[in-house]
Each structure stands twice: as structure tokens, then as C-alpha cells.
Amino acid sequence: MPALNIDFFLRPFAVVFYPFQTLFSFFLRSTSLGLFFSRPRTLAQHTAPNSSSIPSIMGTKKKVAIMTSGGDSPGMNGVVRACVRMAIHMGCDAYCIYEGYEGLVRGGDLIRKMEWHDVRGWLSEGGTLIGTARCMAFYERAGRLTAAKNMILNGIDALIICGGDGSLTGADRFRAEWPSLLEELVSTGVFKADQIAPYQHLNIVGLVGSIDNDLSGTDATIGCYSALARICYCIDLIEATASSHSRAFVIEVMGRHCGWLALMAGVATGADFIFIPEKPREDNWKEEMCGIVHQHRKLGKRKTIVIIAEGALDREGNKITPEMVKDLLADKDGLGLDTRITTLGHVQRGGTAVAYDRMLATLQGVEAVKAVLEATPETPTCFIAINENKIIRKPLVQAVQDTKEVAKAIQRQDFDLAMSLRDTEFTEQYKSFMMTTAGQLDKEILLPEKERMKIGFINVGAPAGGMNAAVRAGVAYCLSRGHEPIAIHNGFAGFARHHGDKPAGAVRSFNWLEVDNWASKGGSEIGTNRELPSESGMETIANLIEQYEFDALFLIGGFEAFHAVSQLRKARDQYPSLCIPLTLLPATISNNVPGTEYSLGSDTCLNELVDYCDKIKQSASATRRRVFVIETQGGRSGYAATLGGLGVGASAVYTPEEGLSLDMLAADVRHLKEVFAHDKGQSRAGRLILINEKASKVYNAKLIAEILRDEAHGRFESREGIPGHMQQGGVPSAMDRSRAVRLAIRCIQHLEKFGRNAHNKVKVDPMSATVIGIQSASIVFSPIKTLEEEETDWANRRPKAAYWLGMKDIVDILGGRPKYQKPEADLTGIKAKDVKRGIQEAV
């Protein structure tokens, strides 16, 4: 295993700092001081001669147990894998408690010590491999007393639990009772006082595994995006048959007290209407729904999709059922639509985890081990949360109370409070849904004629998942406010050379009926091109902006789009027509745009890459001792390779940021030889290495595979795999679709602030040319001037700093990769020439 030499940051795609002092202090806390000053004692010396009825206890080495409880969710196995391996890496013994609290009460072989290889291949497995079960005994003190006994017998006083709010509440109660449980075990003669002395305090950390995403205080729970992906996939299939027969479908999804799945599915698929527990529609919901559906049909829509959460209510607290909605849509005296009901049920819970849930599970698992070891008796029980791309610890009790308060508020019909108790994203996504679905019917939000703008939409760079969803959302918002959205087809190349083509030029108005179907479409329906404004002719572009009287430009794309905005901003002094507000929504699988930690399309890319690698790894495992070297896209950004490696459990990852050397390859060959030499025939013996396409000027996937094959000397095989443009994805992921809607609407609202004829204001306001992005815990607009001057590595087409770089150390640790020598930095310029000539020594 690699040495502990990493910097840990409390960020989801970064690693966790674990200072030596902390580890040493825990060692002291969990070890009797007498061991340092006296001879080692045998187990008999630890127990009284006549105490044969008193059980023996495991040694004093720190032991961490992992348990899954409640309903299963995709990603739980990733949690177990990360916790087991990180605990072992930290010098602890790792245990798994099988069958949840039932296993804790029953003990015996349901509490098992885990080795490194025991969790191999678990990332790609659905459900929970250590099981989960309801345990009525744990509700009683007698059951919890037995559980405490079993933990002490195994020497465990640190527990990590992955489950829902009920499971985590039970854990917190268990911790609160722990001192009294120990007293009772001593008073009843089960243990002697000196036996329980090292276990006076129970440390517990919670991880939220729930497809409903129903715990307050975190943006996402482990498994929720996998469930959302299943729902969107099913709705995409249903839409095809609905459109064919001009039918309506009422789709019921899970969510008894939380409407997150229904809401996000509605946003991601462009549903016509949704019902969620937190926000019942107005008292006249029947008329409202029928009115919206009627208007959509009047526009020419052939399908109607209504999504209803299982806990949906009206404002009087009465349950709304799918049958009620179906009858209303099918009423021959009303809409008279041919209507069907589809209840997705446990399909939502099953299957393997998507890339995001695998990363979330892994990184939260690593953080949970750190948290449980750092905890003190005074530390409140915490759970690991994620808020806008940042992993943090939060008090568990407060989160559970807030979650229960939502259910109570719904029961009291205080729906405004229920919505306020949800996170910011939930509320904003609800507004986004209403704006894109029913906004055009609300005449009250229309702007006065003089404030309405003409906004150009243009995609620049390579296609990325979510581009079409972003355009659709932006167009819907514009139409609802009275703006005129104009499509500029095929980027700046189409704008410059084909704007006036007949019968249809590159500049033309959007057809809402056509755009409304773009939510689930991949690629770019208005086309895209890598050509920059300077290559198309800056004067031509400036003249066309003036000719078409654009008041603002909304750009969607990757680093080329970032470069385009930079060029347009710099040319404002020369061309006054360019003094209009510009904003960029990053969309690239490389995730290399300065100013943001997330780009549209990056999640779709990772899902495609993880899916590809799972299939490849299955092949490698079936043939047993085989290594596949997978080449990923990403330009000079190692984002896809690194996060893909985290999602598939790669043995090694090679990125442009770190580089690649012969010494690294030699170390990895030795490691693979050792791994396969100790292979005992497990079915999951395949290995993966991921290499970014530009990690090295010399070593590519094919060459590395050949080197490994040659150096293996018959001990194992190697092959290369190149998924290529498959990584750009087909249907965009649910995350890319839903975030596209939210971010696109934010962009148009930002442009809207400048209004029409704002040339003088634009010229002096740095916020008139911006990039929207997720940074740490916030969505922010960053001035392009600041980004281009201070934060951009122009030579390598990426930000100077990337939050995910430290994640590579987590990949190495959990993959068991030994420490290796980092590649030397390249010498450049005059120094390189002088060193080659022997004039200067290389340092």
C-alpha cells in the first residue's frame, strides 16, 4: 500500500488531510498506557482466574466497523470499499457488520474482519453486498445492550453507518446510551471493568444512503442520482410511445415525504406537470393542470407526461393518486386524452451506481474514516454532507430534526415552511421547472416592451451532454419574459459565412415546439464549431451583431467558447457593437474551463467511461490475469481519467498534469507482478489503467499495453481499449440535464440585468463578460478578464489550479498502488538550451 503522503481537502473531488499527530493521538487514546511501561501480558493476565464465564476481548489495535442499514441504494458498496481500504491504510482493522442492525445484535459471524482483497470489484455492484435488514430488537434497550456486548467482544468502538435518517437516528441514540450500556454489562458480570476500560466512548459517523435525497443539510445522498438516472431513462422510453400514439402518461415515482426525484425528473425530461409533497399546486390544481396540458397540446405537442411523487397531496392534505390524475386527463368532457399509468417501483432502487454516486460514496467513505478517528467524546455525532461540490461534516441530530420538521410541516399544511427547509437547489429547481413548463402562460412575469431583449444563442467547441437542455431552458425563460431568443447555428463559422443563406440562414428564430423536445437529446441541435471569432473575422462578427441588433450573447461550450468570450471582450474598444453583455455556460467533457469546478457534459462523459470500463473489467476478470489500458479524452486536462479511475477502481491513472515517466511504468509493472503473484483465484482479478490522451508525448495506451505485456514475461496479459468519442455520450445524464436548466436560466437572468442599449455600462463593468460556474459551495459569475489574466494556463488550455488534482492520491491509495517517483519537470526556453550545452546544471 502507498505511504501516507497526501494533502486532504474537504472537497468532494479532493482528498482528506490526516496529520500524523492525529493518528498518534488516537493510538494513545485507544492503547493502555501501561503497555509502554510494563511487560506484555497474556490474555490470561487480563482476566481473573475464576472468570471463565467472562468472554475474552480482541486486542487493542484500533478497529473500525462499517454497516449499511435501511433501504439499499446504489453506491453503498462503494462506501464499504472506501471505508475498508482507507481504514486499513490508516493502520486500523476494518470490520463489516452484515445484515445491518440485525447483524450487530446477533453478532457471531455477522461481524467479520475484512481484508484488502475482500472488497475488490465492489464499486460496480448494485445494492449492498453486506446486506441490510429490519431489526425490531434494536428498538429495545435489551437489543442495544446485546449489540454493545458484541462490539466490545470484537474490540470495536468506532462505527460508520450508511443508511437513511431512521438508521442514523438509531445510531445516535446508541452512542448516547453507550456509557450506561457499559455500566450494565459490568454490573451484570458480562465484563469486568478493566475489560471495558479501552472502550469508554463510542464514535459514530453517518453516511446518507437514500435514493429519495430526503435528508436536510446535503445536496445529494448516496444513490439519489442513480435512481434519478433510472427514472429519466424510463421516461425517455415512455415518451417515444406516448408521442407515437399521442397519449398521456402518469408516472409515479418514489418519494413519500420528499419530492426530489419527481421534481428533478420533471426538470430533466421537460414534463408537463409534477406533483410533489412539499409544494402542492393551488386549490384549483385540476383546472391548472388541464389548462397547461391544453395549451401544450394547442401548440402541437403529441405527448403529455405528468410525474407524481407517491406522497403527493393537495393543499388540504388529501392524497392525490395516479388514478385521479388519469381520470382527469381521460375525461371525455374535458381533455379526453388516451392516458396510461406507469408505476416505476423498485426499478428506481436497483442497478449499479452512476459515476457521481460512486465518487460521492468513495470520497465520503474516505472522509468518514477520517472523521470517526478524529472524533472525541465531546464531538457531536456527525454525518458527511455535500453542498454545491464541497464535502463537509454536519451535526447529525440537527439534520434529522430538520428532516422530520419537513414532514411535520407538510402534515400541518405549512408548505412554505416545508420548501424553506429544503436546500437552495431544490427551491431553485422548482422555480426553473415552473418557468420552463408554465412560464409562457403566466402573463404577469412579462417585461415591459422597452425592457425586452434580443438574445443570441451560440454553441462553440465540441458537443457535450446538456447543451440542448441548456438551450431549451434559456429559450423557455426568454419567451416567458418577452425576450426574443435567436439561434446562431454552427458557431461563429456559421454566423460569419452562412447567416444569409436561403431558404434558411444560420441566424433564425427558435421554434418552441421543436425546442421543447430537446431536453433529452445529446449533441447540439443548433450545431457547434471550434472556430474562434478572430478566425471568422472579428470585424465580420462585430458587423453581424450590429446588423441583427443583438442585445446580448449567451454562449455554451468549452475552452474554445471561453477563448471566444475573451476575444470579444478585448475587441470592444475597436468595435463598439461588441459592447453587449456576454456570458458563458461551460459545457465540455474535459471540464477545463477556468472559473468553474463543473461543466455540462462532464457527468455524461464519466457515466459513459465508467460503463465502458465496467464491461472491459468484466472481460479482464473473466480471463483472470489481464490488464486493460484505457485511453480517455480530455485534451490536456486529466479530469476524466482521474475521476473515471476513482469510479472504476483503477490500479493507476496517468494525467498530463503529473506526466508519465519510464520509472513510473517500471514501478507499476512491479506492482502488477506482485498483485497477480498473490492472486488466489478470485473472480474479480482484472485490472485497469487509465491514461489521458495527452498524458505523454511518447507513451500512449497501445505502447503501454505492449510494454506491460513484454515485461510480464507470461505472468499476465495486457490489452488496450480506446472508447474515443463514445465519451461524449448519447443521451445526456440526468445531472447534466437538470443542472443545464438551472444554470441556463441563471445566465439569462444575468444578461437581463443589463437590459437594452447598455453599451456605456457594459464597457466599464467587468461583469458584462462572465463565466458561470460552481465554485466550492456556491454558484458564481466570474469576470472573464480576471480569469484570463490570473487563472488560465493558456499553453495547456486549462485552469492553473484544479480542485480535483488531489483525488489522484485517493485513486492510488484505494487501488493499492505503491509509492513511485514523480516525473521530472520539463526544462524550457533558454535554460533548456544551456543545460543541453553543459553551460548550466539542471536542478
Side-chain angles (χ1 to χ4, degrees), residues 280-320:
R281 310 307 279 255
E282 298 302 325
D283 293 334
N284 61 338
W285 67 265
K286 296 180 180 180
E287 291 81 2
E288 182 188 5
M289 182 184 73
C290 290
I292 290 175
V293 171
H294 175 70
Q295 286 297 324
H296 288 178
R297 288 282 176 163
K298 192 175 178 182
L299 289 170
K301 287 189 70 171
R302 288 181 52 82
K303 66 179 187 296
T304 297
I305 301 294
V306 176
I307 302 175
I308 180 170
E310 60 182 335
L313 306 168
D314 64 18
R315 283 201 164 268
E316 301 301 320
N318 302 310
K319 184 173 178 57
I320 299 176

Side-chain angles (χ1 to χ4, degrees), residues 718-787:
S718 66
R719 297 285 190 275
E720 76 275 3
I722 304 177
H725 284 74
M726 282 179 58
Q727 294 163 81
Q728 290 183 358
V731 177
S733 72
M735 175 185 284
D736 280 334
R737 292 198 229 175
S738 56
R739 285 190 171 178
V741 174
R742 181 187 183 194
L743 295 176
I745 290 177
R746 281 279 197 104
C747 286
I748 304 299
Q749 288 173 336
H750 179 74
L751 296 174
E752 200 175 47
K753 293 176 183 177
F754 289 89
R756 299 170 62 179
N757 303 316
H759 293 70
N760 293 332
K761 181 181 178 182
V762 164
K763 200 166 184 179
V764 298
D765 189 346
M767 295 302 290
S768 64
T770 56
V771 176
I772 191 174
I774 295 176
Q775 294 182 16
S776 187
S778 304
I779 292 179
V780 298
F781 285 91
S782 301
I784 197 84
K785 186 177 188 297
T786 302
L787 295 176

